[in-house]
Amino acid sequence: MKTKEQTDTYNRKHYIDNLRNLTIMLLFPVHTFMIWNDFGSRFYIWQGENKVLSTLIVLVNPWFMPILFALAGMSARYALEKRSYKEFIIQRVGKLLIPFIGGMILLVPFQTLYARKYFENYEGSLPDNWKYFFTHLTDFSGYDGAFTPGHLWFILFLFLISLITLILLRFVPYERLKARVEKLPVFGVLLLFIPVWLMYYLGNFGGFSIGKSLALYLAGYYVLSNDLIMEKLERNIKWLAALCIIGTIVSVTAYYRFSYYGDLWVNFIGWISILVILVAGKKYLNRRTGFTEYFNQASYPIYILHQSVLVALAYYVVQASNILLIQVLCICVGSFVLTVSAYHLIKLIPVVRKLVGIN
């Protein structure tokens, strides 16, 4: 007879874990390429515009952060089948809130230090920069050394949304909407990109929208976690995938040639990409592997650590070599190796490990 832990592992939808972990790994090349973005906004280290690298970001940008919120909503639905609200909140505090606070104190000021060193030739100390960080407010980008949540915006949004939705779920539980959701045709699921797009304008901070993130989380919770909906998407995967591929090609071409990156189109392509990726993940990644086991523990700590490590490394790499390929490879691969190494080192330090979400 299976224990509860064995049953939970057996019933777990491993493709959700694997997709989340792979998406977080994708942040290493994406944030490396940001050093050469041509979006009109700088990065903490910025080497000037490169259209090819910027276009590669555009290739994945419509879906690679949004899918994390959709996956989080799906995971929350399954988690709340096994945990009480109190247990869920305690888990969210340990995994999200404490690491957010720790990262804001220790990590984000560190990467803004390198932004000041790079753009302003700042030669002051880390403590002086830490004081500057918490006493200056500009556009929240942090590229000038002033206050910013940095990449931890995702952790903060996910924590707030996780708590806010608990109130909604008390009044509109999953079971109340399940029958209506299951009647949705595939085209109806596809049209859910409209509320996602409209919510983009609610609580938008420099392109990071808590409204859109909330819409994606709820779509994951109520719709994408429904097995019948996933079966419908699987049966229609050929035309969905074709539409996704054609739309992505159109997006990349329009951006590369005309710098077009419209909100409505981006949200449409992002949503259909999420649907196709979920179906592909369910078919090919729904298994428990060593990768799954390792990154289920490591993915959030790696997310929290990665950008500070990448920015610091990039500062030195771009000064050591003028060859683009060497710069890209050294920053992308080097930051991954250093981040994973830092994760393993921090695991050995009881107090610090809690600050990056390691249990």
Side-chain angles (χ1 to χ4, degrees), residues 107 294 301-302 305-306 309 334-349 352-353 356 358:
L107 294 175
Y294 178 81
I302 285 175
L305 293 167
H306 87 280
V309 173
S335 62
F336 176 76
V337 172
L338 289 173
T339 301
V340 172
S341 300
Y343 162 69
H344 282 282
L345 178 62
I346 290 171
K347 283 178 70 175
L348 303 175
I349 310 173
V352 179
R353 60 185 285 147
V356 294
I358 303 174

mmCIF file with all atom_site columns, all heavy atoms in Angstrom, residues 107 294 301-302 305-306 309 334-349 352-353 356 358:
data_model
loop_
_atom_site.group_PDB
_atom_site.id
_atom_site.type_symbol
_atom_site.label_atom_id
_atom_site.label_alt_id
_atom_site.label_comp_id
_atom_site.label_asym_id
_atom_site.label_entity_id
_atom_site.label_seq_id
_atom_site.pdbx_PDB_ins_code
_atom_site.Cartn_x
_atom_site.Cartn_y
_atom_site.Cartn_z
_atom_site.occupancy
_atom_site.B_iso_or_equiv
_atom_site.pdbx_formal_charge
_atom_site.auth_seq_id
_atom_site.auth_comp_id
_atom_site.auth_asym_id
_atom_site.auth_atom_id
_atom_site.pdbx_PDB_model_num
ATOM 1   N N   . LEU A 1 107 ? 21.024 41.055 -2.397  1.00 0.00 ? 107 LEU A N   1
ATOM 2   C CA  . LEU A 1 107 ? 21.379 40.763 -3.784  1.00 0.00 ? 107 LEU A CA  1
ATOM 3   C C   . LEU A 1 107 ? 21.155 41.920 -4.745  1.00 0.00 ? 107 LEU A C   1
ATOM 4   O O   . LEU A 1 107 ? 22.049 42.276 -5.522  1.00 0.00 ? 107 LEU A O   1
ATOM 5   C CB  . LEU A 1 107 ? 20.590 39.540 -4.273  1.00 0.00 ? 107 LEU A CB  1
ATOM 6   C CG  . LEU A 1 107 ? 20.930 38.213 -3.601  1.00 0.00 ? 107 LEU A CG  1
ATOM 7   C CD1 . LEU A 1 107 ? 19.997 37.111 -4.090  1.00 0.00 ? 107 LEU A CD1 1
ATOM 8   C CD2 . LEU A 1 107 ? 22.377 37.822 -3.874  1.00 0.00 ? 107 LEU A CD2 1
ATOM 9   N N   . TYR A 1 294 ? 16.279 17.402 -9.012  1.00 0.00 ? 294 TYR A N   1
ATOM 10  C CA  . TYR A 1 294 ? 17.280 18.411 -8.655  1.00 0.00 ? 294 TYR A CA  1
ATOM 11  C C   . TYR A 1 294 ? 16.703 19.817 -8.736  1.00 0.00 ? 294 TYR A C   1
ATOM 12  O O   . TYR A 1 294 ? 16.804 20.603 -7.782  1.00 0.00 ? 294 TYR A O   1
ATOM 13  C CB  . TYR A 1 294 ? 18.493 18.299 -9.571  1.00 0.00 ? 294 TYR A CB  1
ATOM 14  C CG  . TYR A 1 294 ? 19.564 19.340 -9.286  1.00 0.00 ? 294 TYR A CG  1
ATOM 15  C CD1 . TYR A 1 294 ? 20.470 19.159 -8.245  1.00 0.00 ? 294 TYR A CD1 1
ATOM 16  C CD2 . TYR A 1 294 ? 19.648 20.502 -10.048 1.00 0.00 ? 294 TYR A CD2 1
ATOM 17  C CE1 . TYR A 1 294 ? 21.445 20.116 -7.965  1.00 0.00 ? 294 TYR A CE1 1
ATOM 18  C CE2 . TYR A 1 294 ? 20.616 21.464 -9.779  1.00 0.00 ? 294 TYR A CE2 1
ATOM 19  C CZ  . TYR A 1 294 ? 21.509 21.257 -8.742  1.00 0.00 ? 294 TYR A CZ  1
ATOM 20  O OH  . TYR A 1 294 ? 22.454 22.211 -8.467  1.00 0.00 ? 294 TYR A OH  1
ATOM 21  N N   . PRO A 1 301 ? 15.743 29.060 -5.831  1.00 0.00 ? 301 PRO A N   1
ATOM 22  C CA  . PRO A 1 301 ? 17.004 29.670 -5.387  1.00 0.00 ? 301 PRO A CA  1
ATOM 23  C C   . PRO A 1 301 ? 17.881 30.133 -6.542  1.00 0.00 ? 301 PRO A C   1
ATOM 24  O O   . PRO A 1 301 ? 18.497 31.202 -6.471  1.00 0.00 ? 301 PRO A O   1
ATOM 25  C CB  . PRO A 1 301 ? 17.675 28.542 -4.594  1.00 0.00 ? 301 PRO A CB  1
ATOM 26  C CG  . PRO A 1 301 ? 16.541 27.720 -4.095  1.00 0.00 ? 301 PRO A CG  1
ATOM 27  C CD  . PRO A 1 301 ? 15.516 27.763 -5.180  1.00 0.00 ? 301 PRO A CD  1
ATOM 28  N N   . ILE A 1 302 ? 17.930 29.349 -7.612  1.00 0.00 ? 302 ILE A N   1
ATOM 29  C CA  . ILE A 1 302 ? 18.709 29.740 -8.782  1.00 0.00 ? 302 ILE A CA  1
ATOM 30  C C   . ILE A 1 302 ? 18.125 31.008 -9.395  1.00 0.00 ? 302 ILE A C   1
ATOM 31  O O   . ILE A 1 302 ? 18.861 31.917 -9.805  1.00 0.00 ? 302 ILE A O   1
ATOM 32  C CB  . ILE A 1 302 ? 18.779 28.589 -9.802  1.00 0.00 ? 302 ILE A CB  1
ATOM 33  C CG1 . ILE A 1 302 ? 19.757 27.525 -9.309  1.00 0.00 ? 302 ILE A CG1 1
ATOM 34  C CG2 . ILE A 1 302 ? 19.194 29.100 -11.193 1.00 0.00 ? 302 ILE A CG2 1
ATOM 35  C CD1 . ILE A 1 302 ? 19.829 26.287 -10.177 1.00 0.00 ? 302 ILE A CD1 1
ATOM 36  N N   . LEU A 1 305 ? 19.190 33.981 -7.243  1.00 0.00 ? 305 LEU A N   1
ATOM 37  C CA  . LEU A 1 305 ? 20.615 34.283 -7.285  1.00 0.00 ? 305 LEU A CA  1
ATOM 38  C C   . LEU A 1 305 ? 21.119 34.711 -8.658  1.00 0.00 ? 305 LEU A C   1
ATOM 39  O O   . LEU A 1 305 ? 22.090 35.472 -8.768  1.00 0.00 ? 305 LEU A O   1
ATOM 40  C CB  . LEU A 1 305 ? 21.419 33.051 -6.844  1.00 0.00 ? 305 LEU A CB  1
ATOM 41  C CG  . LEU A 1 305 ? 21.284 32.602 -5.388  1.00 0.00 ? 305 LEU A CG  1
ATOM 42  C CD1 . LEU A 1 305 ? 21.876 31.204 -5.222  1.00 0.00 ? 305 LEU A CD1 1
ATOM 43  C CD2 . LEU A 1 305 ? 21.986 33.584 -4.466  1.00 0.00 ? 305 LEU A CD2 1
ATOM 44  N N   . HIS A 1 306 ? 20.481 34.239 -9.737  1.00 0.00 ? 306 HIS A N   1
ATOM 45  C CA  . HIS A 1 306 ? 21.120 34.253 -11.052 1.00 0.00 ? 306 HIS A CA  1
ATOM 46  C C   . HIS A 1 306 ? 21.492 35.642 -11.576 1.00 0.00 ? 306 HIS A C   1
ATOM 47  O O   . HIS A 1 306 ? 22.571 35.833 -12.133 1.00 0.00 ? 306 HIS A O   1
ATOM 48  C CB  . HIS A 1 306 ? 20.231 33.537 -12.076 1.00 0.00 ? 306 HIS A CB  1
ATOM 49  C CG  . HIS A 1 306 ? 19.200 34.413 -12.721 1.00 0.00 ? 306 HIS A CG  1
ATOM 50  N ND1 . HIS A 1 306 ? 17.995 34.747 -12.117 1.00 0.00 ? 306 HIS A ND1 1
ATOM 51  C CD2 . HIS A 1 306 ? 19.195 35.057 -13.922 1.00 0.00 ? 306 HIS A CD2 1
ATOM 52  C CE1 . HIS A 1 306 ? 17.309 35.524 -12.909 1.00 0.00 ? 306 HIS A CE1 1
ATOM 53  N NE2 . HIS A 1 306 ? 18.007 35.743 -14.011 1.00 0.00 ? 306 HIS A NE2 1
ATOM 54  N N   . VAL A 1 309 ? 24.576 37.370 -9.956  1.00 0.00 ? 309 VAL A N   1
ATOM 55  C CA  . VAL A 1 309 ? 25.799 36.702 -10.405 1.00 0.00 ? 309 VAL A CA  1
ATOM 56  C C   . VAL A 1 309 ? 26.115 37.076 -11.849 1.00 0.00 ? 309 VAL A C   1
ATOM 57  O O   . VAL A 1 309 ? 27.253 37.404 -12.193 1.00 0.00 ? 309 VAL A O   1
ATOM 58  C CB  . VAL A 1 309 ? 25.655 35.171 -10.272 1.00 0.00 ? 309 VAL A CB  1
ATOM 59  C CG1 . VAL A 1 309 ? 26.854 34.455 -10.890 1.00 0.00 ? 309 VAL A CG1 1
ATOM 60  C CG2 . VAL A 1 309 ? 25.498 34.772 -8.806  1.00 0.00 ? 309 VAL A CG2 1
ATOM 61  N N   . GLY A 1 334 ? 29.120 30.886 -17.842 1.00 0.00 ? 334 GLY A N   1
ATOM 62  C CA  . GLY A 1 334 ? 29.791 31.189 -16.578 1.00 0.00 ? 334 GLY A CA  1
ATOM 63  C C   . GLY A 1 334 ? 28.831 31.543 -15.475 1.00 0.00 ? 334 GLY A C   1
ATOM 64  O O   . GLY A 1 334 ? 28.990 31.095 -14.321 1.00 0.00 ? 334 GLY A O   1
ATOM 65  N N   . SER A 1 335 ? 27.806 32.341 -15.776 1.00 0.00 ? 335 SER A N   1
ATOM 66  C CA  . SER A 1 335 ? 26.841 32.723 -14.738 1.00 0.00 ? 335 SER A CA  1
ATOM 67  C C   . SER A 1 335 ? 26.034 31.521 -14.271 1.00 0.00 ? 335 SER A C   1
ATOM 68  O O   . SER A 1 335 ? 25.684 31.417 -13.081 1.00 0.00 ? 335 SER A O   1
ATOM 69  C CB  . SER A 1 335 ? 25.914 33.837 -15.245 1.00 0.00 ? 335 SER A CB  1
ATOM 70  O OG  . SER A 1 335 ? 25.155 33.398 -16.351 1.00 0.00 ? 335 SER A OG  1
ATOM 71  N N   . PHE A 1 336 ? 25.739 30.597 -15.190 1.00 0.00 ? 336 PHE A N   1
ATOM 72  C CA  . PHE A 1 336 ? 25.025 29.382 -14.786 1.00 0.00 ? 336 PHE A CA  1
ATOM 73  C C   . PHE A 1 336 ? 25.867 28.548 -13.824 1.00 0.00 ? 336 PHE A C   1
ATOM 74  O O   . PHE A 1 336 ? 25.391 28.129 -12.760 1.00 0.00 ? 336 PHE A O   1
ATOM 75  C CB  . PHE A 1 336 ? 24.662 28.544 -16.011 1.00 0.00 ? 336 PHE A CB  1
ATOM 76  C CG  . PHE A 1 336 ? 24.006 27.228 -15.678 1.00 0.00 ? 336 PHE A CG  1
ATOM 77  C CD1 . PHE A 1 336 ? 22.684 27.177 -15.287 1.00 0.00 ? 336 PHE A CD1 1
ATOM 78  C CD2 . PHE A 1 336 ? 24.732 26.039 -15.728 1.00 0.00 ? 336 PHE A CD2 1
ATOM 79  C CE1 . PHE A 1 336 ? 22.083 25.967 -14.955 1.00 0.00 ? 336 PHE A CE1 1
ATOM 80  C CE2 . PHE A 1 336 ? 24.144 24.828 -15.395 1.00 0.00 ? 336 PHE A CE2 1
ATOM 81  C CZ  . PHE A 1 336 ? 22.816 24.798 -15.008 1.00 0.00 ? 336 PHE A CZ  1
ATOM 82  N N   . VAL A 1 337 ? 27.123 28.327 -14.182 1.00 0.00 ? 337 VAL A N   1
ATOM 83  C CA  . VAL A 1 337 ? 28.015 27.525 -13.337 1.00 0.00 ? 337 VAL A CA  1
ATOM 84  C C   . VAL A 1 337 ? 28.206 28.191 -11.972 1.00 0.00 ? 337 VAL A C   1
ATOM 85  O O   . VAL A 1 337 ? 28.135 27.534 -10.922 1.00 0.00 ? 337 VAL A O   1
ATOM 86  C CB  . VAL A 1 337 ? 29.378 27.312 -14.036 1.00 0.00 ? 337 VAL A CB  1
ATOM 87  C CG1 . VAL A 1 337 ? 30.374 26.659 -13.081 1.00 0.00 ? 337 VAL A CG1 1
ATOM 88  C CG2 . VAL A 1 337 ? 29.210 26.464 -15.287 1.00 0.00 ? 337 VAL A CG2 1
ATOM 89  N N   . LEU A 1 338 ? 28.452 29.484 -11.959 1.00 0.00 ? 338 LEU A N   1
ATOM 90  C CA  . LEU A 1 338 ? 28.665 30.202 -10.704 1.00 0.00 ? 338 LEU A CA  1
ATOM 91  C C   . LEU A 1 338 ? 27.402 30.230 -9.848  1.00 0.00 ? 338 LEU A C   1
ATOM 92  O O   . LEU A 1 338 ? 27.475 30.134 -8.615  1.00 0.00 ? 338 LEU A O   1
ATOM 93  C CB  . LEU A 1 338 ? 29.136 31.625 -10.990 1.00 0.00 ? 338 LEU A CB  1
ATOM 94  C CG  . LEU A 1 338 ? 30.567 31.762 -11.546 1.00 0.00 ? 338 LEU A CG  1
ATOM 95  C CD1 . LEU A 1 338 ? 30.846 33.207 -11.936 1.00 0.00 ? 338 LEU A CD1 1
ATOM 96  C CD2 . LEU A 1 338 ? 31.587 31.276 -10.523 1.00 0.00 ? 338 LEU A CD2 1
ATOM 97  N N   . THR A 1 339 ? 26.245 30.376 -10.480 1.00 0.00 ? 339 THR A N   1
ATOM 98  C CA  . THR A 1 339 ? 24.990 30.409 -9.727  1.00 0.00 ? 339 THR A CA  1
ATOM 99  C C   . THR A 1 339 ? 24.704 29.066 -9.072  1.00 0.00 ? 339 THR A C   1
ATOM 100 O O   . THR A 1 339 ? 24.326 28.997 -7.892  1.00 0.00 ? 339 THR A O   1
ATOM 101 C CB  . THR A 1 339 ? 23.811 30.802 -10.646 1.00 0.00 ? 339 THR A CB  1
ATOM 102 O OG1 . THR A 1 339 ? 24.057 32.086 -11.213 1.00 0.00 ? 339 THR A OG1 1
ATOM 103 C CG2 . THR A 1 339 ? 22.506 30.846 -9.867  1.00 0.00 ? 339 THR A CG2 1
ATOM 104 N N   . VAL A 1 340 ? 24.870 27.990 -9.835  1.00 0.00 ? 340 VAL A N   1
ATOM 105 C CA  . VAL A 1 340 ? 24.666 26.652 -9.269  1.00 0.00 ? 340 VAL A CA  1
ATOM 106 C C   . VAL A 1 340 ? 25.666 26.386 -8.145  1.00 0.00 ? 340 VAL A C   1
ATOM 107 O O   . VAL A 1 340 ? 25.321 25.815 -7.110  1.00 0.00 ? 340 VAL A O   1
ATOM 108 C CB  . VAL A 1 340 ? 24.781 25.580 -10.371 1.00 0.00 ? 340 VAL A CB  1
ATOM 109 C CG1 . VAL A 1 340 ? 24.766 24.178 -9.762  1.00 0.00 ? 340 VAL A CG1 1
ATOM 110 C CG2 . VAL A 1 340 ? 23.639 25.721 -11.376 1.00 0.00 ? 340 VAL A CG2 1
ATOM 111 N N   . SER A 1 341 ? 26.907 26.829 -8.329  1.00 0.00 ? 341 SER A N   1
ATOM 112 C CA  . SER A 1 341 ? 27.928 26.667 -7.284  1.00 0.00 ? 341 SER A CA  1
ATOM 113 C C   . SER A 1 341 ? 27.542 27.448 -6.032  1.00 0.00 ? 341 SER A C   1
ATOM 114 O O   . SER A 1 341 ? 27.683 26.950 -4.905  1.00 0.00 ? 341 SER A O   1
ATOM 115 C CB  . SER A 1 341 ? 29.292 27.139 -7.799  1.00 0.00 ? 341 SER A CB  1
ATOM 116 O OG  . SER A 1 341 ? 29.705 26.389 -8.927  1.00 0.00 ? 341 SER A OG  1
ATOM 117 N N   . ALA A 1 342 ? 27.051 28.674 -6.221  1.00 0.00 ? 342 ALA A N   1
ATOM 118 C CA  . ALA A 1 342 ? 26.621 29.489 -5.088  1.00 0.00 ? 342 ALA A CA  1
ATOM 119 C C   . ALA A 1 342 ? 25.450 28.827 -4.364  1.00 0.00 ? 342 ALA A C   1
ATOM 120 O O   . ALA A 1 342 ? 25.372 28.844 -3.120  1.00 0.00 ? 342 ALA A O   1
ATOM 121 C CB  . ALA A 1 342 ? 26.222 30.884 -5.567  1.00 0.00 ? 342 ALA A CB  1
ATOM 122 N N   . TYR A 1 343 ? 24.542 28.241 -5.124  1.00 0.00 ? 343 TYR A N   1
ATOM 123 C CA  . TYR A 1 343 ? 23.400 27.530 -4.539  1.00 0.00 ? 343 TYR A CA  1
ATOM 124 C C   . TYR A 1 343 ? 23.874 26.409 -3.619  1.00 0.00 ? 343 TYR A C   1
ATOM 125 O O   . TYR A 1 343 ? 23.395 26.265 -2.481  1.00 0.00 ? 343 TYR A O   1
ATOM 126 C CB  . TYR A 1 343 ? 22.516 26.981 -5.662  1.00 0.00 ? 343 TYR A CB  1
ATOM 127 C CG  . TYR A 1 343 ? 21.567 25.889 -5.244  1.00 0.00 ? 343 TYR A CG  1
ATOM 128 C CD1 . TYR A 1 343 ? 20.482 26.157 -4.405  1.00 0.00 ? 343 TYR A CD1 1
ATOM 129 C CD2 . TYR A 1 343 ? 21.755 24.579 -5.690  1.00 0.00 ? 343 TYR A CD2 1
ATOM 130 C CE1 . TYR A 1 343 ? 19.606 25.144 -4.027  1.00 0.00 ? 343 TYR A CE1 1
ATOM 131 C CE2 . TYR A 1 343 ? 20.878 23.566 -5.314  1.00 0.00 ? 343 TYR A CE2 1
ATOM 132 C CZ  . TYR A 1 343 ? 19.817 23.846 -4.479  1.00 0.00 ? 343 TYR A CZ  1
ATOM 133 O OH  . TYR A 1 343 ? 18.954 22.852 -4.105  1.00 0.00 ? 343 TYR A OH  1
ATOM 134 N N   . HIS A 1 344 ? 24.828 25.617 -4.088  1.00 0.00 ? 344 HIS A N   1
ATOM 135 C CA  . HIS A 1 344 ? 25.331 24.502 -3.278  1.00 0.00 ? 344 HIS A CA  1
ATOM 136 C C   . HIS A 1 344 ? 26.097 24.996 -2.054  1.00 0.00 ? 344 HIS A C   1
ATOM 137 O O   . HIS A 1 344 ? 26.033 24.372 -0.983  1.00 0.00 ? 344 HIS A O   1
ATOM 138 C CB  . HIS A 1 344 ? 26.206 23.584 -4.132  1.00 0.00 ? 344 HIS A CB  1
ATOM 139 C CG  . HIS A 1 344 ? 25.413 22.681 -5.016  1.00 0.00 ? 344 HIS A CG  1
ATOM 140 N ND1 . HIS A 1 344 ? 24.791 21.543 -4.549  1.00 0.00 ? 344 HIS A ND1 1
ATOM 141 C CD2 . HIS A 1 344 ? 25.105 22.761 -6.342  1.00 0.00 ? 344 HIS A CD2 1
ATOM 142 C CE1 . HIS A 1 344 ? 24.143 20.953 -5.543  1.00 0.00 ? 344 HIS A CE1 1
ATOM 143 N NE2 . HIS A 1 344 ? 24.324 21.675 -6.644  1.00 0.00 ? 344 HIS A NE2 1
ATOM 144 N N   . LEU A 1 345 ? 26.792 26.098 -2.198  1.00 0.00 ? 345 LEU A N   1
ATOM 145 C CA  . LEU A 1 345 ? 27.510 26.667 -1.050  1.00 0.00 ? 345 LEU A CA  1
ATOM 146 C C   . LEU A 1 345 ? 26.534 27.175 0.005   1.00 0.00 ? 345 LEU A C   1
ATOM 147 O O   . LEU A 1 345 ? 26.699 26.920 1.207   1.00 0.00 ? 345 LEU A O   1
ATOM 148 C CB  . LEU A 1 345 ? 28.425 27.800 -1.526  1.00 0.00 ? 345 LEU A CB  1
ATOM 149 C CG  . LEU A 1 345 ? 29.226 28.536 -0.430  1.00 0.00 ? 345 LEU A CG  1
ATOM 150 C CD1 . LEU A 1 345 ? 30.174 27.563 0.263   1.00 0.00 ? 345 LEU A CD1 1
ATOM 151 C CD2 . LEU A 1 345 ? 29.999 29.699 -1.037  1.00 0.00 ? 345 LEU A CD2 1
ATOM 152 N N   . ILE A 1 346 ? 25.511 27.876 -0.452  1.00 0.00 ? 346 ILE A N   1
ATOM 153 C CA  . ILE A 1 346 ? 24.525 28.445 0.472   1.00 0.00 ? 346 ILE A CA  1
ATOM 154 C C   . ILE A 1 346 ? 23.733 27.355 1.197   1.00 0.00 ? 346 ILE A C   1
ATOM 155 O O   . ILE A 1 346 ? 23.330 27.526 2.351   1.00 0.00 ? 346 ILE A O   1
ATOM 156 C CB  . ILE A 1 346 ? 23.585 29.408 -0.288  1.00 0.00 ? 346 ILE A CB  1
ATOM 157 C CG1 . ILE A 1 346 ? 24.361 30.662 -0.707  1.00 0.00 ? 346 ILE A CG1 1
ATOM 158 C CG2 . ILE A 1 346 ? 22.367 29.778 0.544   1.00 0.00 ? 346 ILE A CG2 1
ATOM 159 C CD1 . ILE A 1 346 ? 23.611 31.577 -1.640  1.00 0.00 ? 346 ILE A CD1 1
ATOM 160 N N   . LYS A 1 347 ? 23.534 26.219 0.540   1.00 0.00 ? 347 LYS A N   1
ATOM 161 C CA  . LYS A 1 347 ? 22.837 25.104 1.181   1.00 0.00 ? 347 LYS A CA  1
ATOM 162 C C   . LYS A 1 347 ? 23.518 24.664 2.476   1.00 0.00 ? 347 LYS A C   1
ATOM 163 O O   . LYS A 1 347 ? 22.875 24.096 3.361   1.00 0.00 ? 347 LYS A O   1
ATOM 164 C CB  . LYS A 1 347 ? 22.767 23.904 0.228   1.00 0.00 ? 347 LYS A CB  1
ATOM 165 C CG  . LYS A 1 347 ? 21.727 24.017 -0.859  1.00 0.00 ? 347 LYS A CG  1
ATOM 166 C CD  . LYS A 1 347 ? 21.752 22.806 -1.783  1.00 0.00 ? 347 LYS A CD  1
ATOM 167 C CE  . LYS A 1 347 ? 21.248 21.567 -1.069  1.00 0.00 ? 347 LYS A CE  1
ATOM 168 N NZ  . LYS A 1 347 ? 21.150 20.411 -1.991  1.00 0.00 ? 347 LYS A NZ  1
ATOM 169 N N   . LEU A 1 348 ? 24.815 24.930 2.585   1.00 0.00 ? 348 LEU A N   1
ATOM 170 C CA  . LEU A 1 348 ? 25.584 24.511 3.756   1.00 0.00 ? 348 LEU A CA  1
ATOM 171 C C   . LEU A 1 348 ? 25.481 25.492 4.915   1.00 0.00 ? 348 LEU A C   1
ATOM 172 O O   . LEU A 1 348 ? 25.975 25.210 6.012   1.00 0.00 ? 348 LEU A O   1
ATOM 173 C CB  . LEU A 1 348 ? 27.056 24.330 3.371   1.00 0.00 ? 348 LEU A CB  1
ATOM 174 C CG  . LEU A 1 348 ? 27.350 23.343 2.227   1.00 0.00 ? 348 LEU A CG  1
ATOM 175 C CD1 . LEU A 1 348 ? 28.827 23.365 1.885   1.00 0.00 ? 348 LEU A CD1 1
ATOM 176 C CD2 . LEU A 1 348 ? 26.889 21.936 2.603   1.00 0.00 ? 348 LEU A CD2 1
ATOM 177 N N   . ILE A 1 349 ? 24.855 26.669 4.673   1.00 0.00 ? 349 ILE A N   1
ATOM 178 C CA  . ILE A 1 349 ? 24.792 27.720 5.691   1.00 0.00 ? 349 ILE A CA  1
ATOM 179 C C   . ILE A 1 349 ? 23.351 27.845 6.178   1.00 0.00 ? 349 ILE A C   1
ATOM 180 O O   . ILE A 1 349 ? 22.497 28.403 5.474   1.00 0.00 ? 349 ILE A O   1
ATOM 181 C CB  . ILE A 1 349 ? 25.294 29.062 5.128   1.00 0.00 ? 349 ILE A CB  1
ATOM 182 C CG1 . ILE A 1 349 ? 26.660 28.878 4.433   1.00 0.00 ? 349 ILE A CG1 1
ATOM 183 C CG2 . ILE A 1 349 ? 25.378 30.108 6.230   1.00 0.00 ? 349 ILE A CG2 1
ATOM 184 C CD1 . ILE A 1 349 ? 27.146 30.099 3.702   1.00 0.00 ? 349 ILE A CD1 1
ATOM 185 N N   . VAL A 1 352 ? 21.489 31.465 6.067   1.00 0.00 ? 352 VAL A N   1
ATOM 186 C CA  . VAL A 1 352 ? 21.455 32.073 4.735   1.00 0.00 ? 352 VAL A CA  1
ATOM 187 C C   . VAL A 1 352 ? 20.569 31.288 3.784   1.00 0.00 ? 352 VAL A C   1
ATOM 188 O O   . VAL A 1 352 ? 19.885 31.861 2.928   1.00 0.00 ? 352 VAL A O   1
ATOM 189 C CB  . VAL A 1 352 ? 22.889 32.206 4.163   1.00 0.00 ? 352 VAL A CB  1
ATOM 190 C CG1 . VAL A 1 352 ? 22.858 32.826 2.767   1.00 0.00 ? 352 VAL A CG1 1
ATOM 191 C CG2 . VAL A 1 352 ? 23.752 33.038 5.093   1.00 0.00 ? 352 VAL A CG2 1
ATOM 192 N N   . ARG A 1 353 ? 20.550 29.973 3.909   1.00 0.00 ? 353 ARG A N   1
ATOM 193 C CA  . ARG A 1 353 ? 19.760 29.152 2.986   1.00 0.00 ? 353 ARG A CA  1
ATOM 194 C C   . ARG A 1 353 ? 18.282 29.527 3.010   1.00 0.00 ? 353 ARG A C   1
ATOM 195 O O   . ARG A 1 353 ? 17.596 29.458 1.977   1.00 0.00 ? 353 ARG A O   1
ATOM 196 C CB  . ARG A 1 353 ? 19.940 27.667 3.278   1.00 0.00 ? 353 ARG A CB  1
ATOM 197 C CG  . ARG A 1 353 ? 19.529 27.238 4.666   1.00 0.00 ? 353 ARG A CG  1
ATOM 198 C CD  . ARG A 1 353 ? 19.857 25.767 4.928   1.00 0.00 ? 353 ARG A CD  1
ATOM 199 N NE  . ARG A 1 353 ? 18.934 24.896 4.238   1.00 0.00 ? 353 ARG A NE  1
ATOM 200 C CZ  . ARG A 1 353 ? 19.254 23.701 3.736   1.00 0.00 ? 353 ARG A CZ  1
ATOM 201 N NH1 . ARG A 1 353 ? 20.489 23.266 3.808   1.00 0.00 ? 353 ARG A NH1 1
ATOM 202 N NH2 . ARG A 1 353 ? 18.332 22.945 3.166   1.00 0.00 ? 353 ARG A NH2 1
ATOM 203 N N   . VAL A 1 356 ? 17.170 32.334 0.525   1.00 0.00 ? 356 VAL A N   1
ATOM 204 C CA  . VAL A 1 356 ? 16.997 32.086 -0.903  1.00 0.00 ? 356 VAL A CA  1
ATOM 205 C C   . VAL A 1 356 ? 15.989 30.971 -1.149  1.00 0.00 ? 356 VAL A C   1
ATOM 206 O O   . VAL A 1 356 ? 15.943 30.383 -2.222  1.00 0.00 ? 356 VAL A O   1
ATOM 207 C CB  . VAL A 1 356 ? 18.340 31.774 -1.599  1.00 0.00 ? 356 VAL A CB  1
ATOM 208 C CG1 . VAL A 1 356 ? 19.255 32.967 -1.577  1.00 0.00 ? 356 VAL A CG1 1
ATOM 209 C CG2 . VAL A 1 356 ? 19.028 30.556 -0.970  1.00 0.00 ? 356 VAL A CG2 1
ATOM 210 N N   . ILE A 1 358 ? 15.641 27.935 0.377   1.00 0.00 ? 358 ILE A N   1
ATOM 211 C CA  . ILE A 1 358 ? 16.033 26.541 0.533   1.00 0.00 ? 358 ILE A CA  1
ATOM 212 C C   . ILE A 1 358 ? 15.519 26.045 1.883   1.00 0.00 ? 358 ILE A C   1
ATOM 213 O O   . ILE A 1 358 ? 15.843 26.619 2.916   1.00 0.00 ? 358 ILE A O   1
ATOM 214 C CB  . ILE A 1 358 ? 17.570 26.369 0.473   1.00 0.00 ? 358 ILE A CB  1
ATOM 215 C CG1 . ILE A 1 358 ? 18.111 26.931 -0.848  1.00 0.00 ? 358 ILE A CG1 1
ATOM 216 C CG2 . ILE A 1 358 ? 17.954 24.896 0.616   1.00 0.00 ? 358 ILE A CG2 1
ATOM 217 C CD1 . ILE A 1 358 ? 19.622 26.935 -0.926  1.00 0.00 ? 358 ILE A CD1 1
#
